């Protein structure tokens, strides 16, 4: 997404289109051992199989993590001492998605965002897109359709 009026970016109004959206479903949430906080498991799934699915969690420091029952031993490196963001990317995401288990510090609600990225632009009834002239090329990943849903657990 680019802000309107920023030099070097083309932008314009876009119609609202119904697209398959990614989802997150809370499976369980229970107090963690000792005073660690809580352990929660949620399932994430893309809107359509084969897209890139990003999961972004914020609101509490992650103490332990597992994906589909497999413990992830990489320690998160916060950008700042109060940064509680945790992310995971699933490339070519399966329709069944993945189960994410996080042990987090405290009991405050977590914001969980699931972002589905697919190549190209969606079909829009009554609208056709003119191909770019040869002198104009897409930057980085090209044209993308991005659909985001946010949940609180």
């Amino acid at each position: 997404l680019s802000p309107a009026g920023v030099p070097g970016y083309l932008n314009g109004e876009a119609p609202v289109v119904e697209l398959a959206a990614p989802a997150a479903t809370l499976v369980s949430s229970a107090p963690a051992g000792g005073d660690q906080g809580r352990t929660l498991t949620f399932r994430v799934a893309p809107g359509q199989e084969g897209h890139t699915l990003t999961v972004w969690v914020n609101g509490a420091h992650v103490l332990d993590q597992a994906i589909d029952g497999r413990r992830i031993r990489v320690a998160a490196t916060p950008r700042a001492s109060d940064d509680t963001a945790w992310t995971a990317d699933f490339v070519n995401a399966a329709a069944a998605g993945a189960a994410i288990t996080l042990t987090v510090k405290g009991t405050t609600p977590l914001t969980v965002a699931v972002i589905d990225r697919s190549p190209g632009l969606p079909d829009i009834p009554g609208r056709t897109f003119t191909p770019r002239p040869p002198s104009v090329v897409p930057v980085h990943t090209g044209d993308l359709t991005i659909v985001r849903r946010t949940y609180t657990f």
Side-chain angles (χ1 to χ4, degrees):
L1 300 175
S2 63
V6 175
Y9 288 97
L10 298 176
N11 58 67
E13 293 295 317
V16 175
V17 180
E18 291 291 325
L19 299 173
T25 306
L26 183 64
V27 174
S28 65
S29 179
D35 62 350
Q36 286 193 8
R38 65 180 172 136
T39 298
L40 63 150
T41 298
F42 54 95
R43 177 162 285 286
V44 296
Q48 293 186 33
E49 185 172 30
H51 294 180
T52 300
L53 179 67
T54 297
V55 181
W56 176 83
V57 178
N58 200 6
H61 290 282
V62 173
L63 304 172
D64 198 20
Q65 55 203 337
I67 297 175
D68 286 336
R70 194 175 228 180
R71 190 165 181 233
I72 308 298
R73 299 187 193 284
V74 177
T77 305
R79 293 174 293 240
S81 62
D82 60 347
D83 182 15
T84 60
W86 180 93
T87 61
D89 288 320
F90 299 86
V91 178
N92 197 22
I100 297 175
T101 301
L102 300 177
T103 299
V104 297
K105 188 174 182 177
T107 58
T108 59
L110 292 181
T111 300
V112 176
V114 284
I115 302 111
D116 191 60
R117 289 178 175 83
S118 58
L121 299 174
D123 290 329
I124 299 175
R127 179 85 189 255
T128 57
F129 295 101
T130 307
R132 292 186 176 86
S135 62
V136 176
V137 295
V139 176
H140 302 292
T141 55
D143 295 328
L144 285 176
T145 297
I146 301 171
V147 180
R148 175 186 166 130
R149 280 253 168 105
T150 304
Y151 301 84
T152 302
F153 297 140

